[in-house]
Amino acid sequence: MIDTGRYLIGVAGASGFGSKSTADEVTENCDLRSITAIITGATSGIGAETARVLAKRGARLVFPARNVKAAEEAKARIVSEFPEAEIVVMELDLSSISSVRSFVAGFESLDLPLNLLINNAGRLAHEHAISEDGIEMTFATNYLGHFLLTNLLLRKMIQTAEETGVQGRIVNVTSGIHGWFSGDLIEYLRQISQPKCQFDATRAYALSKLANVLHTKELSSRLQKIGANVTVNCVHPGVVKTRLTRDREGLLTDLVFFLTSKFLKTVHQAAATTCYVATNPRLVNVSGKYFTDCNETTPSGLGSNSSEATKLWAASEILVTQHSKTGFDPLS
């Protein structure tokens, strides 16, 4: 009850910020003119606001997008507000392993540095669908595509950090809904990656968001072991009615949002935690953590499980190399 009251009032935590803080506020003293950032899902919602604020602070931005036209429009909106903003639009379908590899090859050909990677894009599927690689679509888009994207960009991020002395940062945008998932991750993914299955869209989304949390934990451990000057953290932006939830509009959804309206954040507030974790100097060397309302907190029990994180990593490495629609069996 006390925590709910603090949230509604917007009481600042140890960071000096809270649930009512905005992305503009948390980056007020940031100079990002030497920073190059890739932001997935930057065409609308939280991603668009994150991009706007980072551009405002001087960062060079790369927008990977499935809908290139929407990305160009998002770029135009930012440039109209900040004429000196430098933004590169590139095609990327996160649900496609081949598209991720093509994007990374294209990005590397630009010979740009990479200081910051924000894995923000997400989807909450209406209906059951399978990706071209044989993986349930929500998981493929929200987690597996980002897993591969991050792995393929790590060499560039490590190199940039070594050459500039500026610590690289990876931010995975997850959700508090990750705590709704229980059970065997791999077995459930196996089930929903079949053409015919009992599909629960909310549980599938929770699985993908739990995977984001576990990815953060395992990647942080691996980066520390090799001495890379790159950190990775994950964030829960809070509840906000963005395109992700509008895609599931209906009487029940609208009723839920009406009843919980006092808990909803504006997009400006929802982007604050991402921007804080991506830019705040207090977070140098902070890695493998979970943030809500611009403050470190604790993920679910399953999200804190190191053995589950290691198990998911091993399965993910197999999934991004198998390229097969014939059957889902990451542990074969």
Side-chain angles (χ1 to χ4, degrees):
M1 191 68 180
I2 294 175
D3 288 341
T4 301
R6 290 172 62 89
Y7 175 87
L8 291 173
I9 297 171
V11 174
S15 68
F17 303 107
S19 63
K20 301 300 183 184
S21 299
T22 67
D24 276 305
E25 291 168 350
V26 304
T27 60
E28 187 173 2
N29 298 315
C30 292
D31 182 349
L32 303 181
R33 285 175 293 180
S34 64
I35 300 299
T36 298
I38 292 176
I39 309 173
T40 67
T43 59
S44 64
I46 296 169
E49 175 63 5
T50 299
R52 185 192 72 82
V53 171
L54 295 187
K56 179 180 182 179
R57 305 305 178 200
R60 176 198 288 128
L61 304 178
V62 178
F63 287 179
R66 183 174 57 84
N67 186 335
V68 174
K69 182 175 182 292
E72 291 288 359
E73 291 171 352
K75 171 183 175 178
R77 288 192 295 271
I78 292 174
V79 172
S80 68
E81 186 174 358
F82 309 110
E84 295 184 0
E86 183 179 348
I87 301 173
V88 178
V89 171
M90 301 179 67
E91 187 173 1
L92 170 63
D93 179 354
L94 280 164
S95 73
S96 165
I97 290 172
S98 63
S99 179
V100 174
R101 294 187 185 279
S102 295
F103 166 79
V104 173
F107 174 75
E108 289 178 340
S109 72
L110 299 177
D111 198 27
L112 293 173
L114 182 58
N115 309 91
L116 175 61
L117 171 62
I118 300 179
N119 292 321
N120 167 82
R123 62 172 289 159
L124 178 55
H126 283 276
E127 298 177 354
H128 183 242
I130 305 295
S131 77
E132 66 181 42
D133 302 298
I135 310 298
E136 189 277 321
M137 190 65 79
T138 303
F139 189 87
T141 304
N142 294 1
Y143 165 69
L144 194 63
H146 283 126
F147 170 84
L148 179 60
L149 177 68
T150 302
N151 279 9
L152 294 178
L153 290 171
L154 274 179
R155 183 174 62 178
K156 172 63 73 172
M157 294 196 73
I158 292 170
Q159 177 186 348
T160 299
E162 289 176 346
E163 292 175 351
T164 63
V166 177
Q167 190 168 75
R169 295 191 185 188
I170 301 166
V171 182
N172 289 331
V173 179
T174 181
S175 168
I177 290 175
H178 81 273
W180 294 12
F181 186 87
S182 61
D184 187 320
L185 285 76
I186 305 302
E187 178 56 31
Y188 183 63
L189 178 59
R190 191 194 311 273
Q191 292 173 15
I192 61 176
S193 293
Q194 303 303 315
K196 295 183 179 180
C197 69
Q198 285 190 319
F199 182 69
D200 181 331
T202 301
R203 192 173 187 220
Y205 181 74
L207 171 65
S208 72
K209 295 288 100 179
L210 173 62
N212 294 145
V213 177
L214 293 172
H215 176 217
T216 301
K217 187 174 185 66
E218 181 67 13
L219 178 56
S220 176
S221 175
R222 289 170 178 256
L223 288 170
Q224 290 175 29
K225 285 178 181 177
I226 64 174
N229 190 23
V230 177
T231 64
V232 55
N233 293 288
C234 58
V235 304
H236 165 50
V239 183
V240 57
K241 196 171 187 182
T242 65
R243 181 177 176 180
L244 183 71
T245 48
R246 287 197 303 270
D247 284 345
R248 293 184 61 82
E249 279 185 347
L251 181 59
L252 179 59
T253 303
D254 289 342
L255 178 60
V256 169
F257 275 99
F258 173 74
L259 294 174
T260 61
S261 59
K262 294 297 183 182
F263 295 90
L264 293 181
K265 289 186 175 184
T266 66
V267 171
H268 307 289
Q269 293 166 343
T273 305
T274 300
C275 289
Y276 172 77
V277 174
T279 65
N280 196 279
R282 294 180 60 176
L283 298 186
V284 170
N285 296 327
V286 174
S287 190
K289 305 301 182 182
Y290 176 80
F291 288 81
T292 301
D293 300 332
C294 302
N295 287 275
E296 184 184 334
T297 185
T298 305
S300 70
L302 199 52
S304 303
N305 190 312
S306 296
S307 63
E308 289 292 339
T310 301
K311 178 181 174 183
L312 176 64
W313 185 285
S316 301
E317 286 188 321
I318 295 170
L319 289 174
V320 298
T321 57
Q322 69 177 12
H323 285 281
S324 172
K325 292 184 179 180
T326 59
F328 176 89
D329 194 2
L331 300 181
S332 62

